[in-house]
Amino acid sequence: MSDWGEHFSYLERGLPYRRYARPELLRIGLVLLDTDYTLERDWQRLLGDDLECFCTRLPTTGEVTPRALLALAPKIEAAAHTLVPGLPLHTLVFGCTSAGLLIGDRPIARTFAAVRPGVAVTHPWLALREALASLGAKRIALLTPYVRELNAAFYAAFAALGIEVVAVGGFHLSRDVDIPAVDPDCLGDALAVLLEGAEGVEAVVMPCTNLRALERLDALEARFGIPCLSSNQALYWHARRLAGRATRLEGFGRLLAG
């Protein structure tokens, strides 16, 4: 043995330690896109002391088109396998609104079940629907960052649920990295244009986890007098609800205020 090896063997000691008693917190596993700059940041503002959130990402082309979004489906399972192996989770979340719409509830649930059987599953499209049902809203305005083809898909999906979209408009952005560059201060003016002439709107829905809307929800609700839902807000609310945890949080819209 070399001199340094002998010296190391003489110095190195096995040290005693105590096992950490991990607190019984609500644990959420979140699979999001590699081009999502907003969802984690938004959730960091919302997380309470009773919750742990573990995130992983799946690779994308960065395109927000139906073809690119549908291509994400076979990548979800591999990403879910990287979520804290061996640590129990209460809720699993797929963090993409438009992909959730196109892929569908059941395929997403089956994919997660193959990795974590018995764990509750949600995604933003499902969470937004549940949030609207909780609010009793049947007539909505839809403000999106998406291209027209995706807006049409959301319009048709809401119609199939018996929810009337009385106004719809989008920023027509086809690259995911462009969506968080939308200044949240412009959402109010965009919504004012969208709501002009629209009657009986009971809620505003702003889908897309990459859209920076969470920080303006209270101001938008005060300005227009109706509930405003964002993907990240509704997703957090629903992920907690599935685990039996109510949300009482001021500053981020009526849904989270309870």
PDB file of all heavy atoms in Angstrom, residues 27-39:
ATOM      1  N   ARG A  27     -46.895  14.566  -0.288  1.00  0.00           N
ATOM      2  CA  ARG A  27     -45.807  14.470  -1.270  1.00  0.00           C
ATOM      3  C   ARG A  27     -46.395  14.402  -2.673  1.00  0.00           C
ATOM      4  O   ARG A  27     -47.185  13.515  -2.985  1.00  0.00           O
ATOM      5  CB  ARG A  27     -44.924  13.253  -1.007  1.00  0.00           C
ATOM      6  CG  ARG A  27     -44.263  13.268   0.356  1.00  0.00           C
ATOM      7  CD  ARG A  27     -43.221  12.163   0.469  1.00  0.00           C
ATOM      8  NE  ARG A  27     -42.793  12.050   1.844  1.00  0.00           N
ATOM      9  CZ  ARG A  27     -43.182  11.087   2.667  1.00  0.00           C
ATOM     10  NH1 ARG A  27     -44.012  10.149   2.239  1.00  0.00           N
ATOM     11  NH2 ARG A  27     -42.737  11.055   3.908  1.00  0.00           N
ATOM     12  N   ILE A  28     -45.982  15.331  -3.503  1.00  0.00           N
ATOM     13  CA  ILE A  28     -46.446  15.408  -4.885  1.00  0.00           C
ATOM     14  C   ILE A  28     -45.271  15.203  -5.826  1.00  0.00           C
ATOM     15  O   ILE A  28     -44.211  15.815  -5.652  1.00  0.00           O
ATOM     16  CB  ILE A  28     -47.111  16.768  -5.161  1.00  0.00           C
ATOM     17  CG1 ILE A  28     -48.384  16.925  -4.318  1.00  0.00           C
ATOM     18  CG2 ILE A  28     -47.454  16.916  -6.647  1.00  0.00           C
ATOM     19  CD1 ILE A  28     -49.059  18.268  -4.454  1.00  0.00           C
ATOM     20  N   GLY A  29     -45.447  14.337  -6.806  1.00  0.00           N
ATOM     21  CA  GLY A  29     -44.445  14.141  -7.851  1.00  0.00           C
ATOM     22  C   GLY A  29     -44.908  14.827  -9.121  1.00  0.00           C
ATOM     23  O   GLY A  29     -46.036  14.612  -9.585  1.00  0.00           O
ATOM     24  N   LEU A  30     -44.054  15.652  -9.687  1.00  0.00           N
ATOM     25  CA  LEU A  30     -44.421  16.502 -10.821  1.00  0.00           C
ATOM     26  C   LEU A  30     -43.510  16.234 -12.013  1.00  0.00           C
ATOM     27  O   LEU A  30     -42.294  16.394 -11.922  1.00  0.00           O
ATOM     28  CB  LEU A  30     -44.332  17.972 -10.396  1.00  0.00           C
ATOM     29  CG  LEU A  30     -44.502  19.055 -11.459  1.00  0.00           C
ATOM     30  CD1 LEU A  30     -45.853  18.940 -12.141  1.00  0.00           C
ATOM     31  CD2 LEU A  30     -44.333  20.429 -10.821  1.00  0.00           C
ATOM     32  N   VAL A  31     -44.108  15.820 -13.114  1.00  0.00           N
ATOM     33  CA  VAL A  31     -43.382  15.660 -14.388  1.00  0.00           C
ATOM     34  C   VAL A  31     -43.727  16.862 -15.255  1.00  0.00           C
ATOM     35  O   VAL A  31     -44.881  17.065 -15.612  1.00  0.00           O
ATOM     36  CB  VAL A  31     -43.794  14.360 -15.104  1.00  0.00           C
ATOM     37  CG1 VAL A  31     -43.110  14.278 -16.473  1.00  0.00           C
ATOM     38  CG2 VAL A  31     -43.442  13.145 -14.255  1.00  0.00           C
ATOM     39  N   LEU A  32     -42.721  17.668 -15.586  1.00  0.00           N
ATOM     40  CA  LEU A  32     -42.971  18.831 -16.430  1.00  0.00           C
ATOM     41  C   LEU A  32     -42.021  18.845 -17.616  1.00  0.00           C
ATOM     42  O   LEU A  32     -41.100  18.028 -17.709  1.00  0.00           O
ATOM     43  CB  LEU A  32     -42.881  20.125 -15.625  1.00  0.00           C
ATOM     44  CG  LEU A  32     -41.547  20.559 -15.014  1.00  0.00           C
ATOM     45  CD1 LEU A  32     -41.608  22.047 -14.665  1.00  0.00           C
ATOM     46  CD2 LEU A  32     -41.225  19.785 -13.742  1.00  0.00           C
ATOM     47  N   LEU A  33     -42.253  19.764 -18.523  1.00  0.00           N
ATOM     48  CA  LEU A  33     -41.477  19.815 -19.763  1.00  0.00           C
ATOM     49  C   LEU A  33     -40.162  20.545 -19.548  1.00  0.00           C
ATOM     50  O   LEU A  33     -40.059  21.447 -18.719  1.00  0.00           O
ATOM     51  CB  LEU A  33     -42.283  20.519 -20.859  1.00  0.00           C
ATOM     52  CG  LEU A  33     -43.713  20.033 -21.093  1.00  0.00           C
ATOM     53  CD1 LEU A  33     -44.279  20.676 -22.355  1.00  0.00           C
ATOM     54  CD2 LEU A  33     -43.800  18.520 -21.168  1.00  0.00           C
ATOM     55  N   ASP A  34     -39.159  20.173 -20.342  1.00  0.00           N
ATOM     56  CA  ASP A  34     -37.849  20.822 -20.179  1.00  0.00           C
ATOM     57  C   ASP A  34     -37.869  22.291 -20.579  1.00  0.00           C
ATOM     58  O   ASP A  34     -36.999  23.062 -20.170  1.00  0.00           O
ATOM     59  CB  ASP A  34     -36.761  20.071 -20.953  1.00  0.00           C
ATOM     60  CG  ASP A  34     -37.020  19.981 -22.459  1.00  0.00           C
ATOM     61  OD1 ASP A  34     -38.034  20.523 -22.946  1.00  0.00           O
ATOM     62  OD2 ASP A  34     -36.193  19.355 -23.166  1.00  0.00           O
ATOM     63  N   THR A  35     -38.884  22.710 -21.322  1.00  0.00           N
ATOM     64  CA  THR A  35     -38.985  24.109 -21.746  1.00  0.00           C
ATOM     65  C   THR A  35     -39.939  24.919 -20.883  1.00  0.00           C
ATOM     66  O   THR A  35     -40.254  26.066 -21.217  1.00  0.00           O
ATOM     67  CB  THR A  35     -39.465  24.179 -23.213  1.00  0.00           C
ATOM     68  OG1 THR A  35     -40.611  23.338 -23.373  1.00  0.00           O
ATOM     69  CG2 THR A  35     -38.369  23.730 -24.167  1.00  0.00           C
ATOM     70  N   ASP A  36     -40.405  24.353 -19.775  1.00  0.00           N
ATOM     71  CA  ASP A  36     -41.321  25.073 -18.895  1.00  0.00           C
ATOM     72  C   ASP A  36     -40.510  25.879 -17.886  1.00  0.00           C
ATOM     73  O   ASP A  36     -39.836  25.329 -17.022  1.00  0.00           O
ATOM     74  CB  ASP A  36     -42.238  24.089 -18.159  1.00  0.00           C
ATOM     75  CG  ASP A  36     -43.403  24.785 -17.468  1.00  0.00           C
ATOM     76  OD1 ASP A  36     -43.163  25.838 -16.844  1.00  0.00           O
ATOM     77  OD2 ASP A  36     -44.533  24.277 -17.548  1.00  0.00           O
ATOM     78  N   TYR A  37     -40.595  27.205 -17.985  1.00  0.00           N
ATOM     79  CA  TYR A  37     -39.843  28.100 -17.102  1.00  0.00           C
ATOM     80  C   TYR A  37     -40.697  28.637 -15.950  1.00  0.00           C
ATOM     81  O   TYR A  37     -40.194  29.388 -15.114  1.00  0.00           O
ATOM     82  CB  TYR A  37     -39.329  29.311 -17.886  1.00  0.00           C
ATOM     83  CG  TYR A  37     -38.450  29.033 -19.080  1.00  0.00           C
ATOM     84  CD1 TYR A  37     -38.176  30.037 -20.008  1.00  0.00           C
ATOM     85  CD2 TYR A  37     -37.896  27.778 -19.310  1.00  0.00           C
ATOM     86  CE1 TYR A  37     -37.371  29.807 -21.110  1.00  0.00           C
ATOM     87  CE2 TYR A  37     -37.106  27.534 -20.408  1.00  0.00           C
ATOM     88  CZ  TYR A  37     -36.834  28.552 -21.312  1.00  0.00           C
ATOM     89  OH  TYR A  37     -36.057  28.327 -22.411  1.00  0.00           O
ATOM     90  N   THR A  38     -41.978  28.269 -15.917  1.00  0.00           N
ATOM     91  CA  THR A  38     -42.916  28.971 -15.046  1.00  0.00           C
ATOM     92  C   THR A  38     -43.518  28.117 -13.952  1.00  0.00           C
ATOM     93  O   THR A  38     -43.719  28.587 -12.830  1.00  0.00           O
ATOM     94  CB  THR A  38     -44.050  29.576 -15.897  1.00  0.00           C
ATOM     95  OG1 THR A  38     -43.485  30.371 -16.947  1.00  0.00           O
ATOM     96  CG2 THR A  38     -44.971  30.456 -15.053  1.00  0.00           C
ATOM     97  N   LEU A  39     -43.843  26.858 -14.241  1.00  0.00           N
ATOM     98  CA  LEU A  39     -44.606  26.033 -13.304  1.00  0.00           C
ATOM     99  C   LEU A  39     -43.898  25.882 -11.961  1.00  0.00           C
ATOM    100  O   LEU A  39     -44.498  26.103 -10.904  1.00  0.00           O
ATOM    101  CB  LEU A  39     -44.882  24.662 -13.930  1.00  0.00           C
ATOM    102  CG  LEU A  39     -45.582  23.616 -13.066  1.00  0.00           C
ATOM    103  CD1 LEU A  39     -46.845  24.171 -12.431  1.00  0.00           C
ATOM    104  CD2 LEU A  39     -45.899  22.385 -13.897  1.00  0.00           C
TER     105      LEU A  39
END
